[in-house]
Amino acid sequence: MFSKKIPLHLKILAGMLIGLVFGFIMTQISWGKNFTIDWIKPFGTIFVNLLKLIAIPLIVASLLKGISDLKDISKFAKIGGRSILIYVGTTVVAITIGLLVVNIIKPGNGISQKTIDTMTATYAGNEGVTSKLMTADSQANSGPLDFIENMIPSNLFAALGNNGSMLQVIFFVIFFGIAMLLVPDERTKTIKSFFDGLNDIVLKMVDLIMLTAPFAVFALLATVVVSSESPEILMALIKYALTVTLGLGLMIGFYLTLVGLIVKRNPWWFLKQLAPAQLLAFTTSSSAATLPVTMERVEEHMGVDKEVSSFVLPVGATINMDGTSLYQAVAAVFIAQALLVDLTFGDQLVIILTALMASIGSAAVPGAGMVMLVIVLQAVGKFTPEEIAIGLTLIFAVDRPLDMLRTTINVTGDATVSLIVAKSLGKLKEPKPENWDDYTKNI
Ligand code: ASP
């Protein structure tokens, strides 16, 4: 079944399906949940750890290679400016779509007081909810320039040692790379070829890790299924969940239109090339863990030049979260509808602005979007702290499945923008995919 001829995304899909069915069967057996947590879950965790393990070396090597190939610093400013502008543009579109669907469908209007009471009773004091409220509080107390201040590391090794400090690492590498361009070529030759080699090796590690992806997604999805809430609780929130899903679906349509009209590539080709990264984003709920695979797909399978992808993708994974911001817009208005809080047009504008900032500030890890949702709700200024806590308990049960979907959109958005930037700078080439076993004759 897992022969070489079956495309990777189909193997991953098969792993996901088997994981779903297996997880469901385990929920029907008394010892099933514990068995899955003890004996299946670790394999999913190991896979995610392996991806995270190579994320920082990959960013360092590929960004340095990208900058050193540039030859001209002004080109770098162009790539940076363009991608950040497009990132902001797509995020505003996402939030607007979110606000439109939630205001048209009004999923919160039908929520009964009984459902609100059940959710509050079930999740009040739940560790997942309280930890999110506490993290949001500590983030809300930060100053206006903290975001920039936090981007400059005071210790390189501390930054390299923390996956949450991706922007600090990117800052250092850009600084280092610019200095490298200013030093004569013959004195930087060795260090350049060191990072070129490192880059190729880490990309090969991605290929090797991806060999286990079909089995890992099986473990990850089986774990999600046995850890999920009871079907009755999920059904109470079905209208809200479908509203978010519809908004995210429209966002995919928007990306495919951009790929067709601006990048002038077949949208189905784009989806097919990106599919393994999207499926991993879905199963891991983390754009940061998916980043190595996104980079590999976009560079090798879509032909985006490293000069572009090495900057646009890591920065995008950290600051561009269209799915997250769309979800925050829908969730904020849904909570207002359910708790009978009236939101004016001005309040909805505040949601656009804060959801934009919040998605930039959200970490690329599972559940981060919900932490920043608290900050969006606080900024609207119409919710008491109790209402915010009730609001979170209300949507908590379906957060994981929605996180899986919004992370897929976040990753798709990053890939789309990298294609647009590459196309606009003439940096889109013929793809040259490499397999895990190319060059095995060397050993
Ligand atoms: N899990 C999302 C990501 O990694 C962030 C979020 O929306 O919670 O992109």
Side-chain angles (χ1 to χ4, degrees):
M1 174 181 175
F2 289 114
S3 92
K4 224 188 138 189
K5 285 186 203 72
I6 304 172
L8 180 62
H9 64 275
L10 291 185
K11 290 185 204 167
I12 297 180
L13 260 179
M16 288 168 73
L17 280 179
I18 301 172
L20 274 179
V21 174
F22 177 84
F24 180 74
I25 296 172
M26 287 295 118
T27 56
Q28 306 301 311
I29 302 174
S30 60
W31 46 266
K33 182 171 175 177
N34 286 341
F35 174 81
T36 311
I37 302 282
D38 288 346
W39 294 97
I40 306 290
K41 186 178 173 198
F43 294 101
T45 313
I46 290 172
F47 176 74
V48 172
N49 285 350
L50 281 174
L51 286 172
K52 288 186 181 161
L53 175 70
I54 57 170
I56 295 274
L58 181 60
I59 294 174
V60 173
S62 103
L63 193 53
L64 255 184
K65 178 164 169 44
I67 297 178
S68 65
D69 287 347
L70 270 177
K71 302 267 180 290
D72 168 13
I73 303 177
S74 69
K75 227 196 254 165
F76 188 66
K78 230 186 231 167
I79 297 176
R82 235 169 249 196
S83 43
I84 290 181
L85 216 76
I86 307 177
Y87 276 150
V88 172
T90 54
T91 307
V92 172
V93 170
I95 303 170
T96 313
I97 291 180
L99 286 180
L100 281 177
V101 288
V102 74
N103 280 299
I104 293 172
I105 300 177
K106 298 191 174 45
N109 283 5
I111 297 284
S112 65
Q113 189 57 42
K114 189 168 154 265
T115 308
I116 297 177
D117 292 344
T118 317
M119 298 294 179
T120 318
T122 317
Y123 296 109
N126 175 298
E127 206 211 321
V129 176
T130 42
S131 73
K132 288 195 168 60
L133 284 166
M134 271 156 57
T135 320
D137 268 347
S138 66
Q139 300 210 4
N141 290 331
S142 50
L145 289 185
D146 274 18
F147 173 61
I148 299 179
E149 198 181 316
N150 290 340
M151 240 159 61
I152 321 295
S154 58
N155 182 324
L156 173 64
F157 294 97
L160 289 172
N162 177 3
N163 277 330
S165 314
M166 218 122 85
L167 284 181
Q168 295 193 344
V169 173
I170 293 172
F171 170 82
F172 176 81
V173 177
I174 292 174
F175 192 18
F176 184 90
I178 291 175
M180 193 166 82
L181 289 179
L182 296 173
V183 173
D185 266 359
E186 71 273 8
R187 279 195 265 157
T188 55
K189 255 192 338 245
T190 320
I191 194 141
K192 264 186 208 155
S193 66
F194 170 77
F195 281 110
D196 277 5
L198 180 65
N199 183 64
D200 289 347
I201 295 168
V202 180
L203 277 175
K204 191 60 80 186
M205 288 170 92
V206 177
D207 285 341
L208 291 174
I209 295 172
M210 285 305 278
L211 285 180
T212 63
F215 305 99
V217 294
F218 159 79
L220 287 163
L221 268 196
T223 310
V224 168
V225 174
V226 297
S227 319
S228 69
E229 307 297 330
S230 72
E232 300 88 67
I233 290 201
L234 295 181
M235 281 321 278
L237 296 171
I238 191 78
K239 207 167 160 197
Y240 156 70
L242 286 179
T243 309
V244 177
T245 309
L246 172 68
L248 295 175
L250 291 174
M251 209 49 209
I252 288 270
F254 174 63
Y255 294 139
L256 294 183
T257 314
L258 292 180
V259 169
L261 292 183
I262 300 181
V263 187
K264 305 247 182 318
R265 290 286 167 108
N266 185 332
W268 302 120
W269 166 85
F270 169 71
L271 279 184
K272 207 165 141 207
Q273 304 311 314
L274 191 62
Q278 289 175 314
L279 295 175
L280 278 196
F282 181 80
T283 31
T284 60
S285 289
S286 168
S287 333
T290 314
L291 180 64
V293 182
T294 320
M295 288 179 85
E296 196 252 7
R297 299 308 295 184
V298 166
E299 286 169 17
E300 286 186 11
H301 297 258
M302 294 188 214
V304 171
D305 197 294
K306 202 176 282 304
E307 283 174 22
V308 174
S309 57
S310 64
F311 173 79
V312 179
L313 291 175
V315 170
T318 342
I319 69 163
N320 180 53
M321 299 203 179
D322 298 342
T324 301
S325 54
L326 187 149
Y327 146 85
Q328 284 164 342
V330 176
V333 178
F334 168 77
I335 291 171
Q337 289 167 347
L339 302 183
L340 306 175
V341 173
D342 212 16
L343 292 184
T344 61
F345 184 67
D347 293 332
Q348 308 231 3
L349 280 185
V350 173
I351 293 181
I352 296 190
L353 275 181
T354 46
L356 176 63
M357 299 309 293
S359 78
I360 293 175
S362 299
V365 296
M370 204 168 159
V371 172
M372 298 310 268
L373 171 66
V374 176
I375 292 174
V376 175
L377 292 174
Q378 285 168 346
V380 174
K382 287 207 169 154
F383 299 93
T384 62
E386 291 73 46
E387 281 173 333
I388 292 179
I390 294 174
L392 281 209
T393 57
L394 196 53
I395 58 169
F396 186 72
V398 283
D399 193 60
R400 178 67 194 211
L402 294 182
D403 195 1
M404 296 163 86
L405 291 173
R406 63 189 193 243
T407 308
T408 310
I409 303 301
N410 291 344
V411 166
T412 311
D414 298 342
T416 308
V417 174
S418 73
L419 276 176
I420 297 176
V421 175
K423 174 81 182 176
S424 75
L425 295 169
K427 293 281 171 197
L428 200 55
K429 315 166 290 187
E430 262 323 295
K432 270 202 230 98
E434 277 193 14
N435 290 315
W436 72 272
D437 55 355
D438 289 343
Y439 319 115
T440 34
K441 56 184 174 309
N442 295 348
I443 19 177

